[in-house]
Amino acid sequence: MTQTVQQFPRETIKFNYDDYLLLPDDGNRYEIIEGELFMAPAPSIKHQDNLFELGVRIREFVKKKKLGIVFLSPCDVVLSNTSIIQPDIVFVSKENRGIITEKNIQGAPDLVIEIISPNTAERDLVLKKKLYAKHGVKEYWIVFIKEQKVEVYRLAEQTYILDRLYEKSDILKSPLIAGLKIRLSEVFRELGDYF
């Protein structure tokens, strides 16, 4: 007797937050975007260095001015039951603090920053950009490690408009966080600069 295996079209399988909670704690980063599960291995050393250098500068400024709070990855952001992501850097303003829970962020942060890795480039540049706009993230930065540049986007009518492209020699200014200035030469450092 032959058994028939029923195949389901890929688009009918949708992951949600309950599924996300069952994923293993194995050192990989998992995200669900519009019900589709994505996995990426741990980021590179250069990625982590840029993440820390940029995140600390934003966090210290925001903390000093009492503007809100900055989180560094891993930090779950639940945009919907079928979109759970772990941005590299997240800023939640004091006006928006009600979205912060003990376990995660429930809703759209004010600013999200993604640092491009080879494993996540398409996801960050296309999928997440659309997702963040759809859910109302006011500002989105894309950091390119290899090119040593940052694209700063601001939200306008559920789509992102490029506000400015910053190079390593520039001082980055956020349209959203008034007064924030980051000298990118201090972010895009070489590992040899530490020794």
Side-chain angles (χ1 to χ4, degrees):
M1 181 155 112
T2 307
Q3 284 187 329
T4 305
V5 176
Q6 186 175 2
Q7 293 188 343
F8 296 97
R10 181 181 169 121
E11 58 273 9
T12 63
I13 299 173
K14 295 282 186 186
F15 291 90
N16 62 35
Y17 187 66
D18 291 333
D19 299 320
Y20 181 80
L21 294 175
L22 298 174
L23 294 170
D25 184 10
D26 59 5
N28 293 311
R29 291 174 37 177
Y30 294 95
E31 297 179 309
I32 297 175
I33 300 175
E34 301 289 342
E36 188 172 347
L37 178 64
F38 293 89
M39 184 277 296
S44 70
I45 296 298
K46 190 74 172 153
H47 177 285
Q48 293 303 87
D49 181 53
N50 288 167
L51 168 71
F52 184 80
E53 292 293 344
L54 185 58
V56 165
R57 282 165 176 74
I58 299 168
R59 185 174 170 92
E60 288 304 312
F61 180 84
V62 164
K63 183 177 167 184
K64 182 179 178 182
K65 300 286 185 179
K66 296 189 179 278
L67 300 174
I69 189 166
V70 174
F71 297 100
L72 305 181
S73 182
C75 175
D76 290 343
V77 175
V78 182
L79 295 174
S80 72
N81 192 45
T82 57
S83 290
I84 304 95
I85 43 138
Q86 289 189 8
D88 289 310
I89 302 172
V90 176
F91 164 65
V92 177
S93 68
K94 64 181 175 185
E95 294 81 16
N96 207 11
R97 69 178 170 246
I99 67 172
I100 301 171
T101 72
E102 192 172 313
K103 290 184 177 184
N104 52 41
I105 296 170
Q106 293 274 333
D110 297 87
L111 166 66
V112 169
I113 301 170
E114 294 288 3
I115 300 171
I116 300 297
S117 296
N119 295 334
T120 65
E122 184 177 346
R123 192 176 334 152
D124 294 338
L125 294 170
V126 180
L127 285 177
K128 284 189 178 179
K129 191 175 181 185
K130 288 179 185 176
L131 184 72
Y132 295 146
K134 174 183 173 182
H135 288 276
V137 175
K138 296 173 190 164
E139 193 166 301
Y140 181 40
W141 299 4
I142 303 174
V143 179
F144 298 87
I145 298 171
K146 186 177 179 184
E147 296 83 358
Q148 298 186 323
K149 66 180 184 179
V150 180
E151 293 178 351
V152 173
Y153 292 90
R154 57 184 168 74
L155 189 63
E157 299 178 22
Q158 283 200 317
T159 190
Y160 284 118
I161 307 295
L162 180 64
D163 186 75
R164 180 149 177 216
L165 169 66
Y166 291 92
E167 304 286 339
K168 180 179 179 176
S169 59
D170 294 329
I171 296 176
L172 185 149
K173 297 175 186 172
S174 166
L176 180 71
I177 306 172
L180 176 66
K181 296 178 183 176
I182 299 171
R183 187 176 304 280
L184 290 179
S185 60
E186 295 174 359
V187 172
F188 294 120
R189 298 171 53 137
E190 298 302 321
L191 293 179
D193 295 343
Y194 295 99
F195 302 101

